[in-house]
Amino acid sequence: MSGTFVGMPAFPSAAREALQDDQLRRNLANATGVIRTKRAEVVDEVDNWEELRVAGAAIKDEVLLHLDEYLIELEASLTAAGAAVHWARDADEACQIVGDIAADHEVDEVVKVKSMATQEIGLNERLAQRGISAWETDLAELIVQLGDDLPSHILVPAIHRNRDEIRDIFVESMASAGKPAPDGLTNDPAALANASRLHLREKFMRAKMAVSGANFAVADTGTLVVVESEGNGRMCLTLPEVLVSVVGIEKIVPSWEDLDVFLQTLPRSSTGERMNPYTSTWSGVNDADGPQEVHVVLLDNGRTRALADEVGRQALRCIRCSACLNACPVYERTGGKAYGSVYPGPIGAILNPLMKGVGVDEQTDSLPYASSLCGACYDVCPVAIDIPSVLVELRTQVVDSHRGGAPDAFGAAMAGAAVSFGSPLPWKTVVLATGWAGRLSGPLAGRVRSSALKNVPGAAGAWAGARDIPALPKESFRAWMKRTGGQE
Amino acid sequence: MVTCINDAFFPETGKAVLRLLQRLGVAVDFPEAQTCCGQPMVNTGYIDEAVPAVRQFTKAFAGYDAIVTPSGSCAGSARHQHKLVAERSGEVGLADAVAEVSPRVYELSEFLVDVLGVTDVGAAFPHKVTYHPTCHSLRMLGVGERPLQLLRAVRDIDLVELPAADQCCGFGGTFAVKNSAVSTAMGQDKIDHVASTGAEYLVAGDNSCLMHIGGMMSRQSTGVQTIHLAQILASTKVMAQ
């Protein structure tokens, strides 16, 4: 991935631009619709799904509330198993650590297992600055990387591409990154998969160092777990001599038994499969096989900031399944790039402000508003993150961070609402005025009135751009009650 | 609770609730001191600005057995958000007042089915109708099948299923203006689904969502009318012979 999210505009304008792309909207509606249906089928067949959700949330909450103790335990068990443990406060430190390990081994390339943590810290770009090529080996990540593109989904980062586009990317770009695409490559899915297999196999066999993330880190056994579908992860985790895993500090589960819950909920929630094809686990170094040097970089990068937020900390339960993206009607229309982060969709709308803090930049502050609060995300979340409530809490924090300055149009309107609704008289006056307006405007049709408002700046124009305003009644409900006593 | 939006913009819905409940033998009062539940402020992040509305809400509705409202969204606000507002305000007595009032707030279909125990309310509505379950009714309150149970019992109604009914219409309160492009893109899919049913009326339990969907349908002259659930349930007009 060589694109960057840095400098992205705030959500409303990025979304408006994304909505212009009809091809993108068709690809997204199709793809999210298919995954939604698959997920619903395999979730419905689990009798105790609600119990699994609650159990998953409880396991994660236990870890988050005692994170200091679990991190020490994880470090000790990893070290005992022969892994080297590194601590990274932020993206800079983490990238420096990984780059230094590569430099120590004098490698100029690494193969990568799909990893949100390494995308979050911009590892590939940082390694490139040190002359090290980081090759993505997950098929969709490969498409994004070869297309000089940005990911738009957590699980299926090339969801915005269809197979014609993918064929073109392979034909144009594979040669510059290694083995070229086969002659006469078609858009047939099997042919595309085979082209990527040939291209990647060469990289797997050559690489001396691999970089991964981890879906889970088991504290008591010092075991890291990667869950994947394509087998590229298994290749990366077993073939190279050196393995470096960048792991967010919230990825801990206390014990091996706890995996039982998540290995049931994660595949069903993410790919809509009962079980994922490849689950790799490793504890440090094994003398007989696999990497002979194992590093684990424990990454904070804003997670302790999120942990300090009493309402928002539940976001750290997230197991990156992306069910909330697929269920979200906003995401389905805009795609992931509009969120300006490797974490898009509903979870991104809360994780980014929680990890980066609000009141700092306009783009981050716009994310909690990128939702109609319809609640579909909460319904599908396998660790029961109440995303709508966290969104409302973060909106409150955004507003609070701007208090004290001159209020914007919304601030002024809300201050007015506080007065209007705070006692009966002001509200009665507002309703009375509405009734007068209704009587005065009676002969005009509603659509004439609101079309005229289209170009008015602010909320009225934003409403009237595509919608008529209802014709005002001649008499409010309370005026009618007063006049008739409720008798028609 | 008629809700502020119905009071000012949709008085026919308030009248329908009154007529319906009276027909079912309920003693209905309209406390004049009611204003707004405070949801627009809370959901936009202005919690301090919602405190006066919540305070007024607890004053206006103190002492009633049940507070019935033709809005899943406003019922959800009272039941789930007022506690939050009261706690943050730190105002003496407000949290207690909220704890007293908010559990007695019912969305109309909940009150009819759960409290009164009726599904056939004696209504007649000879039209082709499709039902949109609004998000807060569906997911925040969990009203489930109740509105459909009520609609199925209406005489002469031709009730047709709305495709992708559980998808949000895109209203979302201030979302409709803060992210108007996304909001109307969602609304477009909703009205396309409505048009595909051939219904004369789109019915829902929230006039705010209907104002958005109806505003788009009116602009595009789709010919489909919006109507609140209460107005169908209050209707007794029979099929022309």
Side-chain angles (χ1 to χ4, degrees):
Chain A
M1 183 179 74
S2 53
T4 174
F5 283 116
V6 175
M8 278 285 289
F11 184 81
S13 54
R16 207 173 295 118
E17 194 177 321
L19 285 165
Q20 307 296 321
D21 187 340
D22 291 340
Q23 180 69 53
L24 173 73
R25 281 180 70 183
R26 273 196 298 277
N27 293 355
L28 280 170
N30 184 34
T32 56
V34 168
I35 306 179
R36 269 204 303 273
T37 308
K38 278 179 71 183
R39 178 208 160 269
E41 283 168 7
V42 296
V43 165
D44 285 349
E45 69 187 21
V46 180
D47 292 335
N48 62 340
W49 183 257
E50 274 310 306
E51 283 172 37
L52 289 172
R53 280 181 93 206
V54 172
I59 292 166
K60 284 289 189 174
D61 284 352
E62 158 68 22
V63 169
L64 293 171
L65 290 174
H66 304 97
L67 191 56
D68 49 346
E69 296 160 31
Y70 282 111
L71 280 167
I72 301 291
E73 185 186 353
L74 178 68
E75 181 184 41
S77 53
L78 280 168
T79 308
V85 177
H86 310 261
W87 298 84
R89 264 173 297 215
D90 55 24
D92 273 351
E93 286 189 3
C95 291
Q96 187 68 39
I97 291 164
V98 180
D100 288 351
I101 296 168
D104 286 348
H105 291 274
E106 297 177 343
V107 299
D108 60 2
E109 63 172 5
V110 301
V111 285
K112 283 188 68 198
V113 191
K114 175 170 170 47
S115 146
M116 295 310 299
T118 59
Q119 282 184 25
E120 173 192 322
I121 61 176
L123 180 66
N124 295 8
E125 296 72 23
R126 289 289 300 275
L127 289 178
Q129 287 169 9
R130 295 176 73 163
I132 302 158
S133 302
W135 303 119
E136 296 291 348
T137 65
D138 169 271
L139 176 53
E141 293 292 354
L142 176 71
I143 294 164
V144 169
Q145 185 173 45
L146 291 175
D148 194 15
D149 198 357
L150 288 164
S152 65
H153 191 284
I154 289 174
L155 184 81
V156 274
I159 194 168
H160 55 290
R161 297 290 197 187
N162 64 21
R163 54 192 169 127
D164 296 314
E165 295 173 288
I166 293 166
R167 178 208 163 270
D168 293 346
I169 290 169
F170 280 6
V171 170
E172 279 167 31
S173 306
M174 271 186 169
S176 63
K179 196 174 175 64
D183 289 339
L185 181 64
T186 67
N187 70 356
D188 173 47
L192 293 172
N194 196 48
S196 70
R197 186 175 289 128
L198 294 170
H199 179 83
L200 290 169
R201 189 60 56 107
E202 184 196 42
K203 289 174 175 168
F204 289 134
M205 300 310 288
R206 202 174 60 209
K208 300 279 180 265
M209 174 170 156
V211 177
S212 83
N215 293 94
F216 305 100
V218 183
D220 67 348
T221 57
T223 306
L224 298 188
V225 182
V226 162
V227 174
E228 45 125 5
S229 297
E230 297 169 13
N232 63 304
R234 181 68 57 81
M235 295 285 211
C236 292
L237 298 168
T238 53
L239 287 175
E241 292 156 23
V242 182
L243 172 60
V244 184
S245 304
V246 180
V247 182
I249 54 175
E250 86 286 15
K251 291 286 154 197
I252 296 181
V253 296
S255 69
W256 184 261
E257 285 74 37
D258 296 314
L259 291 174
D260 175 32
V261 172
F262 300 109
L263 292 183
Q264 292 182 72
T265 53
L266 178 55
R268 287 176 200 266
S269 299
S270 56
T271 49
E273 293 168 303
R274 297 187 180 101
M275 198 178 165
N276 52 290
Y278 296 88
T279 300
S280 301
T281 70
W282 69 103
S283 310
V285 175
N286 183 320
D287 290 339
D289 199 6
Q292 293 303 296
E293 193 177 319
V294 170
H295 296 265
V296 179
V297 183
L298 295 172
L299 175 72
D300 182 341
N301 204 35
R303 284 160 178 77
T304 50
R305 179 198 280 273
L307 187 63
D309 190 304
E310 282 184 31
V311 178
R313 68 170 62 118
Q314 57 184 304
L316 294 176
R317 292 178 196 154
C318 176
I319 54 173
R320 310 287 190 262
C321 74
S322 61
C324 63
L325 277 61
N326 302 326
C328 179
V330 176
Y331 175 87
E332 183 186 331
R333 270 102 189 157
T334 66
K337 293 180 195 174
Y339 294 80
S341 160
V342 297
Y343 302 114
I347 189 65
I350 62 173
L351 258 187
N352 288 299
L354 284 165
M355 285 170 41
K356 295 175 188 166
V358 300
V360 180
D361 69 274
E362 192 194 356
Q363 198 275 332
T364 305
D365 283 2
S366 74
L367 291 177
Y369 292 93
S371 165
S372 65
L373 302 179
C374 84
C377 48
Y378 183 24
D379 273 8
V380 297
C381 178
V383 285
I385 302 169
D386 183 355
I387 295 177
S389 291
V390 179
L391 285 167
V392 170
E393 164 65 19
L394 289 167
R395 291 176 183 189
T396 308
Q397 292 180 18
V398 169
V399 167
D400 287 347
S401 73
H402 294 291
R403 284 189 192 275
D408 62 4
F410 274 96
M414 294 300 162
V419 175
S420 300
F421 298 131
S423 54
L425 190 62
W427 174 239
K428 277 182 195 169
T429 316
V430 171
V431 175
L432 192 68
T434 313
W436 278 109
R439 281 189 289 280
L440 286 171
S441 62
L444 296 168
R447 69 184 300 187
V448 175
R449 269 199 305 278
S450 64
S451 290
L453 290 172
K454 248 192 273 192
N455 299 321
V456 174
W463 177 272
R467 319 170 184 94
D468 283 346
I469 293 171
L472 292 174
K474 294 184 177 61
E475 188 177 48
S476 68
F477 178 74
R478 68 177 57 229
W480 174 81
M481 280 296 287
K482 203 174 176 78
R483 183 170 62 78
T484 65
Q487 303 303 312
E488 289 172 88
Chain B
M1 173 181 34
V2 73
T3 81
C4 60
I5 189 173
N6 288 328
D7 189 359
F9 293 120
F10 303 101
E12 295 310 316
T13 299
K15 293 178 200 175
V17 174
L18 191 67
R19 200 185 316 138
L20 173 65
L21 293 179
Q22 283 173 344
R23 193 168 78 211
L24 295 170
V26 180
V28 188
D29 210 4
F30 173 71
E32 276 218 2
Q34 64 183 282
T35 58
C36 164
C37 67
Q39 181 178 209
M41 292 80 99
V42 175
N43 280 355
T44 315
Y46 292 84
I47 292 205
D48 292 348
E49 284 77 357
V51 175
V54 171
R55 191 191 304 126
Q56 187 59 29
F57 186 95
T58 60
K59 280 189 202 166
F61 293 109
Y64 288 101
D65 296 330
I67 300 138
V68 182
T69 182
S71 165
S73 196
C74 305
S77 153
R79 293 223 297 256
H80 297 284
Q81 295 184 331
H82 281 190
K83 184 168 177 275
L84 190 86
V85 175
E87 280 168 5
R88 166 151 155 150
S89 77
E91 200 170 293
V92 179
L94 188 55
D96 288 342
V98 165
E100 180 65 27
V101 172
S102 68
R104 284 181 285 115
V105 176
Y106 298 90
E107 182 272 339
L108 179 64
S109 73
E110 292 179 319
F111 182 73
L112 295 173
V113 175
D114 299 348
V115 180
L116 298 185
V118 292
T119 46
D120 184 350
V121 296
F125 194 73
H127 296 283
K128 190 169 182 178
V129 171
T130 193
Y131 169 69
H132 166 58
T134 59
C135 297
H136 289 175
S137 298
L138 187 70
R139 285 180 276 263
M140 195 191 260
L141 295 180
V143 303
E145 285 276 296
R146 291 177 188 84
L148 284 168
Q149 289 173 336
L150 291 159
L151 286 168
R152 286 189 198 114
V154 172
R155 269 174 286 290
D156 297 335
I157 197 168
D158 179 8
L159 188 63
V160 290
E161 195 178 330
L162 177 66
D166 63 352
Q167 282 252 328
C168 178
C169 72
F171 171 64
T174 49
F175 175 78
V177 288
K178 275 185 178 280
N179 277 290
S180 57
V182 187
S183 167
T184 52
M186 289 159 70
Q188 188 63 48
D189 290 341
K190 181 60 72 181
I191 70 173
D192 289 347
H193 285 308
V194 171
S196 76
T197 66
E200 297 163 74
Y201 287 93
L202 171 69
V203 61
D206 266 286
N207 272 332
S208 48
C209 309
L210 288 178
M211 186 169 72
H212 158 75
I213 306 170
M216 289 189 70
M217 294 199 301
S218 161
R219 179 66 56 84
Q220 296 178 28
S221 304
T222 65
V224 184
Q225 303 291 309
T226 55
I227 189 167
H228 193 282
L229 175 67
Q231 285 160 258
I232 290 184
L233 299 180
S235 169
T236 50
K237 74 174 169 182
V238 290
M239 187 102 65
Q241 292 301 310

